[in-house]
């Protein structure tokens, strides 16, 4: 039995993953335990979890793999500073002390931290380093259901690479092409995220959600001035407009002058039609880059399968377009596409690449186990915890619970749904979710403002039974990780009249656009999760029952958290969030809690508890 | 430390980037001086350098 621990840390989204003989056993992000969104610290809690979950001590682990190479990163930093000198001295003087004190000595630092888990761990040579984009590529290809595939990784930056194209065949990954820093599609998107007043590395989803409210008026300007995009999808950015290579901001004065507006001040300035048009423009440019890149690679390699990872692979609108344009026959996306997934990729890369182990043909779905790789809790633990928290609860058997939840969903109740192992990756997939009735007219606004305390423009995603997918949406592919966007079927769309069409921006939100308005975005699109009985049988049963009673096989599924808060992990987290929001019901496994029955003294002012993202 | 230097040297050899070595040395020397100078007798020495 070969046990490999993968670690990603120190930049954003620290995480740990454990594989045993190549099988993915568990994985979790540190933020879920520390309750600090995108926590970048050494993932002590996540490592503790993956070890305990398999009853292992650290000294029993055979190999430990860090997801990137610090020396290579340091080389990039030094060369970038030299290339831009004397510009960037401030950033240089801030980053060098951290590097010279800590980051350069990462092996020793990791060793010291790892020893805290188990004093008997004393072999520093067990620590290995993978490359950032190789880790992403490994996380995208090895768990996929394909024997061979093109692998594309797109993100901000790792060591040098920002975009890579590789070919995966059996247990081998061969890198074909790379684009190097500072030319990066991820950083281009993040620059616009910053310019629109959202947080870099976390607000990118908001830009994507905002885009359908605008018109891509600035697309030509971006393509003419900011980026030199070639027909094969390769590109160079015009660094005259960006400040991220050496500065402390993403964009500079030239960038603001180009669009005739200063960068939006977060929380102070309101979002206007200009911001929506900018969001639409950068989204459209991103889609064009991704489509050009995938088209040229498909033609060049003649391979029918595509795997993707890296932060940009979470851009589900662009992913949907790859599928719609039939560029590849099959598409598989790593659910933990961000840096957290690098921990899993690093471990898998070591197993197949360094140890040369054979790869058996994966199961038809994939090897991710539905991405349910985090902690779960037994009934005794839940009961004890709820009692200690002073909660009032009842315990139902599964059938009664499901019947009851369906009735309450029909009554337009919002429900915290806490079941089984926590998801790995940024999406809630029915294990730590807030669920509601998608047919309700008021649900989108109510969930955004009263439950999630977030911006009213943000859309909600549907979970749907896999077998019913094609009856409701314009797509017929498994999308278990909510990483593809497709349109709601024409027959359930409600066409806009002439007056509705004239509406601009956020006003579009008030029009009912389909028979499932809570999950239909203003452009009739939806970010879909297909639910499969093999990976989440309880959630599947709930959807099936909801369909039997209402005829609708769909539920609203949003992550169980509020704005700025990591998704809940434990029973305590879920009870705290339940008592701090306007959620009506909380379901933890077979335990059910009603808001009106709880002690009023336990209600919390939760809205400003977390730093806004 | 010796292990670190060995690994770093191997890295420079692999990447054929020997020119990084003097930069590292200068950075490390200044780094050490700055750390030592914090409230110590080495402080005046730092001022004479700059």
């Amino acid at each position: 039995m070969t046990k490999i621990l993968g670690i990603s840390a120190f930049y954003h989204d620290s995480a740990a993953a454990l594989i045993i003989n190549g099988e993915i056993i568990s994985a979790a992000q540190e933020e879920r335990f520390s309750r600090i969104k995108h926590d970048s610290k050494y993932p002590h809690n996540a490592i503790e979890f993956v070890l305990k979950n398999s009853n292992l001590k650290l000294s029993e682990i055979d190999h430990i793999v860090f997801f990137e190479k610090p020396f290579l990163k340091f080389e990039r930093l030094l060369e970038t500073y030299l290339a831009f000198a004397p510009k960037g001295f401030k950033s240089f003087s801030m980053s060098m002390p951290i590097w010279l004190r800590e980051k350069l000595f990462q092996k020793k630092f990791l060793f010291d931290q790892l020893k805290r888990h188990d004093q008997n761990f004393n072999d520093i040579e067990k620590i290995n380093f993978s490359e950032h984009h190789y880790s992403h590529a490994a996380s995208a290809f090895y768990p996929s259901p394909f024997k061979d595939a093109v692998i594309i990784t797109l993100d901000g930056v790792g060591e040098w690479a920002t975009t890579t194209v590789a070919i995966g065949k059996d247990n081998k990954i061969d890198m074909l092409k790379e684009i190097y820093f500072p030319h990066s599609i991820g950083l281009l998107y993040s620059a616009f995220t910053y310019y629109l007043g959202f947080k870099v590395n976390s607000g990118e989803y908001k830009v994507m959600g905002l885009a359908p409210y605008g018109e891509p008026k600035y697309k030509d300007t971006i393509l003419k001035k900011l980026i030199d995009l070639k027909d094969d999808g390769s590109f160079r950015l015009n660094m005259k407009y960006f400040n991220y290579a050496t500065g402390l901001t993403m964009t500079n004065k030239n960038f603001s002058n180009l669009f005739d507006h200063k960068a939006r001040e977060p929380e102070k300035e309101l979002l206007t039609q200009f911001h929506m048009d900018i969001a639409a423009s950068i989204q459209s440019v991103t889609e064009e880059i991704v489509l050009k890149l995938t088209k040229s690679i498909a033609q060049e390699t003649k391979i029918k399968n595509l795997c993707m990872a890296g932060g940009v692979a979470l851009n589900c609108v662009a992913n949907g377009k790859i599928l719609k344009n039939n560029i590849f026959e099959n598409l598989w996306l790593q659910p933990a596409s961000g840096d957290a997934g690098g921990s899993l990729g690093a471990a898998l890369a070591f197993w197949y690449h360094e140890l040369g182990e054979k790869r058996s043909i994966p199961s038809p779905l994939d090897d991710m186990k539905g991405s349910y790789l985090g902690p779960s809790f037994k009934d005794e633990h839940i009961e004890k915890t709820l009692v200690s928290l002073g909660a009032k609860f009842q315990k139902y058997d599964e059938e009664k619970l499901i019947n009851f939840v369906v009735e309450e969903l029909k009554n337009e109740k919002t429900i915290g749904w806490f079941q089984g192992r926590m998801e790995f990756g940024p999406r809630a997939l029915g294990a730590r979710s807030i669920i509601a009735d998608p047919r309700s007219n008021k649900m989108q606004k109510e969930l955004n403002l009263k439950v999630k305390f977030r911006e009213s423009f943000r859309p909600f995603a549907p979970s749907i039974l896999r077998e019913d997918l094609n009856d409701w949406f314009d797509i017929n592919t498994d999308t278990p990780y909510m990483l593809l966007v497709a349109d709601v079927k024409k027959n359930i769309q409600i066409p806009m009249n002439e007056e509705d069409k004239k509406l601009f921006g956020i006003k579009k939100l008030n029009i009912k656009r389909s028979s499932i308005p809570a999950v239909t975005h203003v452009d009739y699109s939806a970010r879909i999760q297909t639910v499969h009985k093999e990976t989440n049988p309880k959630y599947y049963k709930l959807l099936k029952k909801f369909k039997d009673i209402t005829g609708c096989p769909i539920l609203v599924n949003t992550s169980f958290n509020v704005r700025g808060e990591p998704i809940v992990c434990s029973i305590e987290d879920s009870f705290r969030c339940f008592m701090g929001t306007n959620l009506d019901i909380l379901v933890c496994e077979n335990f059910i809690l009603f808001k009106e029955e709880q002690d009023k003294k336990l209600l919390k002012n939760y809205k400003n508890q977390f730093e806004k993202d | 430390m010796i292990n670190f230097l060995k690994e770093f040297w191997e890295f420079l050899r692999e990447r054929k980037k020997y020119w990084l070595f003097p930069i590292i040395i200068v950075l490390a020397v200044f780094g050490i001086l700055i750390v030592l100078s914090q409230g110590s007798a080495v402080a005046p020495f730092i001022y004479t350098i700059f």
Side-chain angles (χ1 to χ4, degrees), chain A residues 108-125:
Chain A
K108 174 78 171 55
F109 182 76
L110 277 171
F111 180 66
D112 292 342
Q113 294 294 320
L114 286 161
K115 255 187 120 44
R116 286 168 53 210
H117 300 277
D118 179 1
Q119 282 305 313
N120 293 326
F121 172 70
N122 51 20
D123 188 358
I124 195 168
E125 293 314 316

Side-chain angles (χ1 to χ4, degrees), chain A residues 331-600:
Chain A
L331 174 60
W332 192 83
L333 303 151
Q334 164 57 239
S337 265
D339 278 2
S343 60
L344 178 63
L348 289 167
F350 197 86
W351 172 252
Y352 291 111
H353 184 71
E354 295 297 321
L355 302 180
E357 294 292 341
K358 278 213 168 67
R359 176 171 175 253
S360 55
I361 296 175
S363 61
L365 217 51
D366 61 47
D367 283 349
M368 284 298 291
K369 299 180 176 168
S371 212
Y372 303 108
L373 298 167
S376 64
F377 300 93
K378 293 208 166 73
D379 276 1
E380 307 87 80
H381 171 86
I382 299 173
E383 191 162 357
K384 226 168 103 182
T385 311
L386 289 176
V387 169
S388 72
L389 290 167
K392 305 249 172 10
F393 58 89
Q394 287 152 49
K395 191 179 179 190
Y396 291 176
D397 65 41
E398 191 174 297
E399 208 189 325
K400 191 177 168 194
L401 181 93
I402 284 176
N403 289 337
F404 189 82
V405 169
V406 166
E407 280 309 310
E408 293 297 337
L409 285 166
K410 264 175 63 197
N411 296 334
E412 297 190 298
K413 292 279 162 49
T414 50
I415 300 177
W417 178 256
F418 184 108
Q419 302 290 330
R421 297 187 70 177
M422 182 180 72
E423 304 87 344
F424 183 48
R427 304 273 84 93
L429 302 169
R432 304 287 185 274
S433 293
I434 290 171
I435 53 173
D437 187 343
R439 302 166 306 153
S440 163
N441 288 337
K442 63 169 192 178
M443 204 47 85
Q444 202 244 4
K445 262 193 185 165
E446 179 148 325
L447 277 175
N448 264 335
L449 301 175
K450 287 192 183 166
V451 178
K452 304 271 291 187
F453 305 134
R454 66 182 202 183
E455 303 93 327
S456 61
F457 71 83
R458 295 180 63 185
F460 286 102
S463 292
I464 180 168
L465 294 172
R466 172 62 182 96
E467 54 270 32
D468 291 312
L469 178 65
N470 199 227
D471 297 336
W472 292 78
F473 298 101
D474 220 358
I475 185 175
N476 201 8
T477 309
D478 293 346
T479 162
Y481 307 122
M482 218 183 254
L483 288 173
L484 288 172
V485 161
D487 285 346
V488 169
K489 276 260 172 184
K490 276 264 178 302
N491 59 323
I492 60 163
Q493 285 185 14
I494 300 172
M496 281 191 275
N497 59 35
E498 287 310 308
E499 223 161 87
D500 295 343
K501 278 182 193 162
K502 283 183 205 145
L503 289 174
F504 269 108
I506 226 92
K507 285 186 184 138
K508 288 181 183 174
L509 200 62
N510 299 324
I511 304 158
K512 188 175 173 180
R513 289 165 307 272
S514 78
S515 54
I516 42 170
V519 291
T520 310
H521 204 12
V522 289
D523 58 352
Y524 292 104
S525 70
R527 187 181 68 195
I528 304 156
Q529 179 205 3
T530 51
V531 178
H532 305 250
K533 63 170 167 264
E534 297 83 0
T535 49
N536 195 341
K538 199 163 178 180
Y539 194 40
Y540 180 89
K541 268 187 211 162
L542 179 74
L543 275 155
K544 194 125 180 60
K545 192 80 204 172
F546 190 72
K547 184 193 170 189
D548 291 346
I549 305 284
T550 66
C552 173
I554 302 169
L555 286 174
V556 179
N557 174 8
T558 183
S559 51
F560 195 163
N561 60 347
V562 297
R563 185 179 174 189
E565 181 191 18
I567 298 177
V568 301
C569 174
S570 65
I571 302 295
E572 290 90 338
D573 301 335
S574 65
F575 184 69
R576 217 178 298 129
C577 188
F578 172 60
M579 294 306 286
T581 60
N582 291 308
L583 274 174
D584 299 306
I585 293 169
L586 171 63
V587 181
C588 293
E589 300 292 349
N590 288 343
F591 296 87
I592 190 157
L593 288 76
F594 299 91
K595 181 62 68 58
E596 69 262 16
E597 287 179 7
Q598 305 304 317
D599 185 348
K600 298 272 177 297

Side-chain angles (χ1 to χ4, degrees), chain B residues 6 10 13 15 18 21 26 28 35-36 39 42 49:
Chain B
K6 225 169 82 187
E10 274 167 26
R13 239 179 41 183
R15 300 279 301 164
Y18 300 104
F21 196 67
V26 172
V35 171
L36 289 177
V42 194
I49 292 180

Side-chain angles (χ1 to χ4, degrees), chain A residues 71-72 74-75 78-79 82 92 96 100 104-105 107 124-125 160 180, chain B residues 1 3-4 7-9 11 15 17 19-20 23-24 27-28 31 35:
Chain A
F71 287 175
L72 211 50
F74 186 63
E75 174 196 303
L78 276 186
E79 286 194 28
L82 277 176
F92 174 80
M96 275 309 123
L100 291 172
L104 210 46
F105 306 97
K107 196 169 182 178
I124 195 168
E125 293 314 316
W160 273 106
Y180 278 177
Chain B
M1 194 50 150
N3 266 346
F4 166 78
E7 277 176 10
F8 199 75
W9 178 249
F11 163 76
R15 300 279 301 164
K17 294 210 169 166
W19 60 268
L20 281 175
I23 296 178
I24 302 286
L27 281 174
V35 171

Side-chain angles (χ1 to χ4, degrees), chain A residues 203-218:
Chain A
E204 281 75 6
Y205 307 119
K206 297 186 189 179
V207 178
M208 194 172 66
L210 194 62
Y213 294 97
E215 296 290 328
K217 286 181 184 167
Y218 302 97

Side-chain angles (χ1 to χ4, degrees), chain A residues 130-142:
Chain A
S130 173
E131 258 181 64
H132 188 103
H133 275 258
Y134 198 90
S135 300
H136 276 319
S139 77
F141 175 61
Y142 291 128

